[in-house]
Amino acid sequence: MTGHTGSCHCGAIELQLHEPPLAVSECNCSICRRIGGLWHYCAVGSLTVTGPAVGYVQGDRTLTNWHCPTCACVTHWTAIDPDYGKVGVNIRMFDPALWQELPRRFVDGASF
Ligand SMILES: [Zn+2]
């Protein structure tokens, strides 16, 4: 399968993205502004994660944010609702050549 490989800083968590990102999203909600993540949203099946990711569920309990227990990089989020069908991958875990020139969408997560 073609795709792109990314990882957390220490390499314990490996991310395989099976599609090219076409745009990236920045969100100003209470957790995203702290993490500083740059998100690519994709179907659940388009992302494969291996490694010992640790989950953190934020207050409103819609998403789990996953991070590496060793180097603390936030790698991706998953929805708690199994029918949601989408995940967000922190595209910063990949080579900047893959994403730094992409259009950036601003998501006003702080307002809802
Ligand atoms: Zn790590």
Side-chain angles (χ1 to χ4, degrees), residues 1-97:
M1 190 183 284
T2 57
H4 303 280
T5 303
S7 71
C8 65
H9 192 264
C10 75
I13 298 175
E14 190 174 275
L15 304 162
Q16 295 282 342
L17 182 61
H18 310 298
E19 64 181 28
L22 303 176
V24 291
S25 298
E26 241 178 302
C27 176
N28 65 352
C29 82
S30 62
I31 187 156
C32 289
R33 69 181 168 85
R34 288 177 166 87
I35 292 167
L38 194 59
W39 306 109
H40 167 64
Y41 306 135
C42 61
V44 171
S46 297
L47 179 71
T48 305
V49 180
T50 53
V54 176
Y56 169 69
V57 179
Q58 55 184 304
D60 61 6
R61 297 195 161 265
T62 58
L63 300 177
T64 304
N65 276 278
W66 297 92
H67 69 270
C68 174
T70 300
C71 69
C73 290
V74 177
T75 52
H76 65 296
W77 57 254
T78 55
I80 290 175
D81 177 357
D83 296 328
Y84 185 70
K86 289 208 159 199
V87 297
V89 57
N90 188 357
I91 204 71
R92 293 190 197 276
M93 301 301 120
F94 293 76
D95 188 332

